[in-house]
Amino acid sequence: MGDDVRPEPGATAAVPLGSEGSRASTGSASSSPLLVERRDDRVIATLNRPEKRNAIDQATIDALHLLCAELEAIPRTLILAGAGGVFASGADIAELRERRADDARAGINANAFVRLALLPMPVIAALDGYALGGGAELAYAADIRIATPALKIGNPETGLGIIAAAGASWRLKEIVGDARAIELLLTGRTVTAAEALEIGLVSELHPADELLAAAHVIADRIARNDRAATIATKRVFRAPRDAHPAVDLEEQAVLFESPEKFRRMTEFLERKQK
């Protein structure tokens, strides 16, 4: 992962988001906070501040917004990873220390992570090493999380005199339940990979050299399904509880008229007859 990404046939090379051909420049590939490899059905984005353990700074947030704009316009599955054996060690504390009340109300990180969570197609977070603070909250915004045995994930914000305000306070309990989430948030303790798997915070563990390949296996499985049905499934899953079942039925009504539904069901029935 990182600068040495080698694209497979049909893929484009990993390039800094905002490089030549994009809307804004974020510098050379080696200095860009986010490396992006684009394929027809997916995008692989690698957090790329290894010297800072991929701490999330304003440049990273800006790059994530650019990427979200791209994936809102041309929906594809997103695989999100980190360079240098680390996902993201947290928000950049040097920047965070200088932020004041107006910055908190602006929701700099929170709004970027909300936008990521609302992308039309699935987001897969491939977690290695540290995923702490804002890094953990970025992971929580993904639809699917897989990890290596080296994962250490948690929210130590209260130890720094702040709260986990970029998604942990509401997303974590949706993932692991109220009792576990409040214990983790109040103690600020770090969760190991084994515990993360046990409590459902991640769904799979893989050796570091197999992690990205495992993420691609999931993306491949998603790609075999109907794109419109995948988007609809994510949309109804993210809908508030009081929107069900109406939101499900409306999405299903659209899909019931889809030519792809008739094609896939016809193929299924023909296979059953053989």
Side-chain angles (χ1 to χ4, degrees), residues 16-61:
L17 189 66
S19 65
E20 184 178 357
S22 303
R23 285 171 287 184
S25 175
T26 54
S28 67
S30 61
S31 63
S32 173
L34 194 66
L35 300 181
V36 180
E37 179 191 339
R38 296 171 177 85
R39 303 186 185 182
D40 289 342
D41 63 355
R42 72 197 63 172
V43 167
I44 305 95
T46 304
L47 299 168
N48 185 48
R49 300 184 72 213
E51 74 287 353
K52 298 289 186 180
R53 293 185 176 180
N54 300 329
I56 298 169
D57 63 352
Q58 184 64 59
T60 304
I61 293 297

Side-chain angles (χ1 to χ4, degrees), residues 2-229:
D3 294 339
D4 63 344
V5 172
R6 293 176 175 85
E8 296 177 3
T12 57
V15 297
L17 189 66
S19 65
E20 184 178 357
S22 303
R23 285 171 287 184
S25 175
T26 54
S28 67
S30 61
S31 63
S32 173
L34 194 66
L35 300 181
V36 180
E37 179 191 339
R38 296 171 177 85
R39 303 186 185 182
D40 289 342
D41 63 355
R42 72 197 63 172
V43 167
I44 305 95
T46 304
L47 299 168
N48 185 48
R49 300 184 72 213
E51 74 287 353
K52 298 289 186 180
R53 293 185 176 180
N54 300 329
I56 298 169
D57 63 352
Q58 184 64 59
T60 304
I61 293 297
D62 293 343
L64 285 171
H65 275 297
L66 281 173
L67 179 59
C68 285
E70 177 183 331
L71 294 176
E72 289 160 356
I74 308 173
R76 283 161 288 174
T77 294
L78 172 61
I79 297 173
L80 194 59
V86 174
F87 181 68
S89 60
D92 190 302
I93 300 300
E95 284 191 1
L96 201 59
R97 184 184 61 179
E98 302 308 315
R99 290 179 181 171
R100 307 304 293 268
D102 287 345
D103 299 308
R105 295 187 180 100
I108 295 168
N109 290 7
N111 288 329
F113 299 167
V114 166
R115 191 174 184 182
L116 186 92
L118 293 176
L119 287 174
M121 288 288 285
V123 178
I124 303 165
L127 310 175
D128 192 11
Y130 293 112
L132 300 174
E137 291 178 299
L138 177 57
Y140 303 157
D143 301 293
I144 298 169
R145 287 164 297 280
I146 63 175
T148 73
L151 175 67
K152 296 184 184 301
I153 186 168
N155 292 94
E157 282 88 345
T158 52
L160 295 170
I162 58 174
I163 66 171
S169 64
W170 73 91
R171 286 198 183 98
L172 187 56
K173 62 184 176 182
E174 293 174 352
I175 299 168
V176 302
D178 282 23
R180 183 78 67 175
I182 192 62
E183 181 261 318
L184 293 175
L185 291 172
L186 292 179
T187 63
R189 72 178 179 87
T190 299
V191 173
T192 65
E195 184 180 357
L197 182 64
E198 179 186 354
I199 66 177
L201 190 50
V202 300
S203 56
E204 300 174 6
L205 295 181
H206 298 276
D209 60 354
E210 299 176 12
L211 181 65
L212 198 55
H216 280 293
V217 168
I218 296 170
D220 289 341
R221 185 66 184 85
I222 291 168
R224 291 197 291 270
N225 296 332
D226 177 40
R227 175 186 174 87

